[in-house]
Amino acid sequence: MKRLPLFAAVLLCAPLAAQEPADPPTPASVAAAAEPDEWRAIDPADLLVMTLAPDAKGEPREVVIQLMPPPFSQPWVENIRALARAHWWDGTSVYRAVDNWVTQWGDVDEAKPLPEGLSDTDDLPYTSTAKADLSQGTMEPEVVPLPAPDPYTGLPSSDRRISWSGGVSGFSRGWPVAVLPERPPPNLDDIDASATGEIAALVWPIHCYAHVGVARDLESTGTGSELYAVIGHAPRQLDRNIAVVGRVIEGIEHLSTLPRGTGEAGVYETEAERTPIVSVRLGDELPEAKRPRFEYLGSDSESFAEYVDVRANRNDAFYTVPAGGVDVCNVQVPIRRMED
Amino acid sequence: MKRLPLFAAVLLCAPLAAQEPADPPTPASVAAAAEPDEWRAIDPADLLVMTLAPDAKGEPREVVIQLMPPPFSQPWVENIRALARAHWWDGTSVYRAVDNWVTQWGDVDEAKPLPEGLSDTDDLPYTSTAKADLSQGTMEPEVVPLPAPDPYTGLPSSDRRISWSGGVSGFSRGWPVAVLPERPPPNLDDIDASATGEIAALVWPIHCYAHVGVARDLESTGTGSELYAVIGHAPRQLDRNIAVVGRVIEGIEHLSTLPRGTGEAGVYETEAERTPIVSVRLGDELPEAKRPRFEYLGSDSESFAEYVDVRANRNDAFYTVPAGGVDVCNVQVPIRRMED
């Protein structure tokens, strides 16, 4: 019996399919087979738990957000910690949703006073500086580049050397990032030829699906009180133009399925359309039993390298033509709840 | 008075902001300024109107899908026309939704007999053959390449010449496509040096947000009865592995906001969760007054070239660092309802 919907479902969501040992690896099977020490625990202090009002059926809605680690966007991240510790978001709302763009929350009227002591984030850069040692092929902060800078060419993608003639995207400490040599760059011909010595580069976080950024006006970089989550194709044009501060690691569907706003720029026209925010708490503020415990697959692990290669070259049962490359935002970093 | 949410809204959705004549162009301003003859009418016979049951508030839900033009995916597109003419989808449902992946519809039980005369689509390729004349820089079917094959490098992106040493993405007749020289390629060094003569290439449609594809099982390529729409980041690994047959040009929010399924692979566990499909009609089957009339900005027009450049190098008020490149799926082809 042909059961297309189930098959189709399995095929469109191959990671959920059971794999025989002899089957080609899938992203899910690679992550599942990773060694325990390749997984890194996420500090509960780096997690925000946002509790929304229950849905129309009375079901609870909880969104867990992981905050960015140093050196990325730290002034905004610290403001967000301060806002959470002040319980500032309690009683605010999700007030904007635009299809294939963002869902946004905070204080729609901007009438609520901000807590004391937030950092002045104006005039701060959205990029960080990285130092690369070309002779060693290392960078601080560490960045593991995607194997191929030009995806979808069908060419083999095994060369992981960072190309200094252009930019590169990759992963740093579990996060997708972009890297670019300082502009104007040093003599790139010399560097390519000698491949020794240190050079500086800019590195910055990327807007992928479910990533969280700081809404701002034309004159500022935003305090961190108004946040948005990406609910569509990665809006990479926002990179370096806005602070990326985290990502939703559980419960994104509570933001992505909200009705789209019909007011200007997708802001809800009536209060009734908004989703009330009951509370936002840092993970380490919660009682031990409710503390969120997650782990991610380390960017520098062998299993992560294999995971990237499999994502770039799918050849399990459903796939007849491996892509030969992969977009950085299609390499979702494996993150899971830790077992007790 | 600082009104962050409104500003933030405008900023995150700059195309909606009013532009002074002296302001740098935005994608929306470029499209709005295009000449009437740069817009191409979409034949109502190339449109499907899918009417879903009204939502919980009794509001109507209509989804308009544009079907792919030749030479792309035509056997499946013809099957879809036949299914629509047979009113086959009437009484079926939207039965699956997976976050950052797809919403899928058709006959969940696969019990409904298919109409007579559908093409056998098995063993058909997902790619088409293109002929390129390197001396003229032309291709049939015409493909207008993206300016830069390696986005986000920060390098200027004005070179529109197709790079034959790798692949390229671009636009053909209003659709995002990928192009790759035939494998094994002819002598690429000779071609790069002489830049004359014709060579063959493969060209295929791309899975971008809101694009519609044909669900299938492991053994077939699908008939076209089970369809899905992308509701997340472009799943490019599906390119060349599944037939892309169209895109939602109006009403994608009726599919993207549906609750995510909790059954295997995101299939709804109960019938009550499914969204009934009242009818699916080809545009030319509808009475004159209800016939959908849309137009798109031609890929070969000067305004479209400017539109791509602006998308790749945003420098209107919100943007301080232009990206210097753009992902093909972030160049949403301008489509609008025609004025009466």
Side-chain angles (χ1 to χ4, degrees), chain B residues 58-133:
Chain B
E59 299 291 331
R61 290 187 279 190
E62 209 167 82
V63 179
V64 181
I65 296 165
Q66 181 188 10
L67 297 171
M68 287 230 119
F72 307 109
S73 307
Q74 290 304 293
W76 295 272
V77 169
E78 285 309 315
N79 278 355
I80 288 166
R81 283 186 217 277
L83 287 155
R85 285 206 190 91
H87 300 183
W88 186 84
W89 280 291
D90 298 15
T92 64
S93 70
V94 183
Y95 56 77
R96 177 186 183 218
V98 182
D99 201 74
N100 193 22
W101 193 240
V102 301
T103 296
Q104 189 168 322
W105 63 92
D107 177 30
V108 67
D109 298 319
E110 213 190 358
K112 190 168 184 170
L114 295 172
E116 297 280 317
L118 296 190
S119 291
D120 178 4
T121 50
D122 286 350
D123 302 321
L124 292 179
Y126 298 120
T127 55
S128 303
T129 303
K131 275 189 186 168
D133 183 331

Side-chain angles (χ1 to χ4, degrees), chain B:
Chain B
M1 188 182 71
K2 194 177 158 205
R3 293 177 57 213
L4 198 147
L6 178 58
F7 280 140
V10 168
L11 297 169
L12 280 172
C13 202
L16 293 184
Q19 293 287 321
E20 296 292 324
D23 287 347
T26 65
S29 75
V30 172
E35 298 294 329
D37 67 358
E38 295 182 306
W39 291 89
R40 311 286 146 73
I42 299 173
D43 188 336
D46 290 337
L47 296 173
L48 286 179
V49 178
M50 176 163 70
T51 304
L52 304 176
D55 70 13
K57 291 176 181 165
E59 299 291 331
R61 290 187 279 190
E62 209 167 82
V63 179
V64 181
I65 296 165
Q66 181 188 10
L67 297 171
M68 287 230 119
F72 307 109
S73 307
Q74 290 304 293
W76 295 272
V77 169
E78 285 309 315
N79 278 355
I80 288 166
R81 283 186 217 277
L83 287 155
R85 285 206 190 91
H87 300 183
W88 186 84
W89 280 291
D90 298 15
T92 64
S93 70
V94 183
Y95 56 77
R96 177 186 183 218
V98 182
D99 201 74
N100 193 22
W101 193 240
V102 301
T103 296
Q104 189 168 322
W105 63 92
D107 177 30
V108 67
D109 298 319
E110 213 190 358
K112 190 168 184 170
L114 295 172
E116 297 280 317
L118 296 190
S119 291
D120 178 4
T121 50
D122 286 350
D123 302 321
L124 292 179
Y126 298 120
T127 55
S128 303
T129 303
K131 275 189 186 168
D133 183 331
L134 294 167
S135 62
Q136 301 294 318
T138 58
M139 192 170 348
E140 174 54 39
E142 184 181 55
V143 175
V144 178
L146 273 182
D150 186 8
Y152 317 122
T153 60
L155 302 173
S157 59
S158 56
D159 183 4
R160 291 183 163 275
R161 196 177 66 90
I162 292 176
S163 160
W164 288 103
S165 56
V168 71
S169 52
F171 294 86
S172 183
R173 301 173 187 177
W175 293 82
V177 297
V179 181
L180 190 67
E182 265 191 343
R183 309 290 299 278
N187 189 328
L188 290 175
D189 290 336
D190 288 350
I191 288 170
D192 284 343
S194 66
T196 57
E198 286 198 352
I199 67 165
L202 294 177
V203 56
W204 63 87
I206 286 174
H207 277 86
C208 291
Y209 188 87
H211 280 224
V212 174
V214 175
R216 65 168 172 89
D217 58 24
L218 287 174
E219 285 78 34
S220 79
T221 64
T223 60
S225 68
E226 311 305 305
L227 297 174
Y228 62 84
V230 172
I231 58 164
H233 190 76
R236 297 286 306 275
Q237 68 273 28
L238 296 178
D239 295 355
R240 291 186 284 175
N241 284 289
I242 206 161
V244 181
V245 291
R247 63 183 162 204
V248 175
I249 62 170
E250 194 173 88
I252 183 67
E253 68 276 13
H254 301 310
L255 300 173
S256 61
T257 63
L258 291 176
R260 306 327 188 199
T262 51
E264 187 178 356
V267 173
Y268 295 123
E269 296 183 85
T270 62
E271 187 175 344
E273 293 171 276
R274 299 179 205 147
T275 301
I277 296 175
V278 176
S279 65
V280 175
R281 294 289 177 273
L282 276 168
D284 61 357
E285 269 203 293
L286 294 171
E288 184 71 31
K290 300 192 88 178
R291 206 163 281 187
R293 295 177 65 245
F294 287 84
E295 59 188 357
Y296 71 94
L297 187 59
S299 308
D300 56 348
S301 68
E302 282 185 30
S303 290
F304 186 75
E306 186 185 352
Y307 176 87
V308 172
D309 282 341
V310 168
R311 282 237 175 252
N313 300 289
R314 291 293 295 267
N315 70 338
D316 44 294
F318 181 64
Y319 292 87
T320 52
V321 183
V326 65
D327 175 345
V328 66
C329 286
N330 258 332
V331 182
Q332 296 90 343
V333 174
I335 299 177
R336 65 186 184 190
R337 277 191 178 266
M338 294 173 78
E339 290 174 19
D340 291 324

Side-chain angles (χ1 to χ4, degrees), chain A:
Chain A
M1 188 182 71
K2 196 176 157 205
R3 293 177 56 214
L4 198 148
L6 177 59
F7 279 141
V10 168
L11 298 170
L12 281 171
C13 203
L16 293 184
Q19 293 289 319
E20 295 293 324
D23 287 347
T26 65
S29 74
V30 172
E35 297 294 328
D37 67 359
E38 295 182 306
W39 291 89
R40 312 285 146 73
I42 300 173
D43 188 337
D46 291 336
L47 295 173
L48 287 179
V49 178
M50 175 161 72
T51 304
L52 305 175
D55 70 14
K57 292 177 183 167
E59 299 291 331
R61 289 186 281 191
E62 209 166 80
V63 178
V64 181
I65 296 165
Q66 181 188 11
L67 297 171
M68 286 230 119
F72 308 109
S73 308
Q74 290 304 292
W76 295 272
V77 169
E78 285 309 315
N79 278 355
I80 289 166
R81 283 185 217 277
L83 286 155
R85 285 204 190 91
H87 299 183
W88 186 83
W89 280 290
D90 299 13
T92 64
S93 70
V94 183
Y95 57 76
R96 178 185 182 219
V98 182
D99 200 75
N100 194 19
W101 194 240
V102 301
T103 295
Q104 189 168 322
W105 63 92
D107 178 29
V108 66
D109 299 319
E110 214 189 359
K112 190 167 184 170
L114 294 171
E116 299 279 318
L118 296 190
S119 292
D120 177 3
T121 50
D122 287 349
D123 302 321
L124 292 179
Y126 298 120
T127 55
S128 302
T129 303
K131 275 188 186 167
D133 183 331
L134 294 168
S135 61
Q136 301 295 317
T138 58
M139 193 172 347
E140 175 54 38
E142 184 180 54
V143 175
V144 178
L146 273 183
D150 185 8
Y152 316 122
T153 60
L155 302 173
S157 59
S158 58
D159 183 4
R160 292 184 162 273
R161 198 176 65 89
I162 292 176
S163 160
W164 287 103
S165 57
V168 72
S169 52
F171 294 86
S172 183
R173 299 171 188 178
W175 293 81
V177 297
V179 182
L180 190 68
E182 266 191 342
R183 311 285 303 278
N187 189 328
L188 290 176
D189 290 336
D190 288 351
I191 289 171
D192 285 343
S194 66
T196 58
E198 286 197 352
I199 69 165
L202 295 177
V203 56
W204 63 88
I206 286 175
H207 277 86
C208 291
Y209 188 87
H211 279 224
V212 174
V214 174
R216 65 169 174 89
D217 60 23
L218 287 174
E219 286 77 35
S220 80
T221 64
T223 60
S225 68
E226 311 305 306
L227 297 174
Y228 62 85
V230 172
I231 58 163
H233 191 77
R236 297 286 305 275
Q237 68 273 26
L238 296 177
D239 294 355
R240 292 186 284 174
N241 284 290
I242 205 160
V244 181
V245 290
R247 63 183 162 204
V248 176
I249 62 171
E250 196 174 86
I252 182 66
E253 68 276 14
H254 301 310
L255 301 173
S256 60
T257 63
L258 291 176
R260 307 325 189 200
T262 50
E264 187 178 357
V267 173
Y268 295 124
E269 296 183 83
T270 63
E271 187 175 345
E273 293 170 278
R274 297 178 206 149
T275 302
I277 295 175
V278 176
S279 65
V280 174
R281 294 289 177 274
L282 275 168
D284 62 356
E285 269 203 292
L286 294 171
E288 184 71 29
K290 299 192 88 179
R291 206 163 282 187
R293 296 176 65 243
F294 287 84
E295 58 189 357
Y296 71 94
L297 187 59
S299 308
D300 56 348
S301 68
E302 282 184 31
S303 290
F304 186 76
E306 186 187 352
Y307 176 86
V308 173
D309 282 341
V310 168
R311 281 235 177 254
N313 300 289
R314 292 293 294 267
N315 70 338
D316 44 293
F318 181 63
Y319 292 87
T320 52
V321 183
V326 65
D327 175 345
V328 67
C329 286
N330 258 332
V331 182
Q332 296 90 343
V333 175
I335 299 176
R336 65 186 184 189
R337 278 191 177 266
M338 295 172 77
E339 291 173 18
D340 290 324

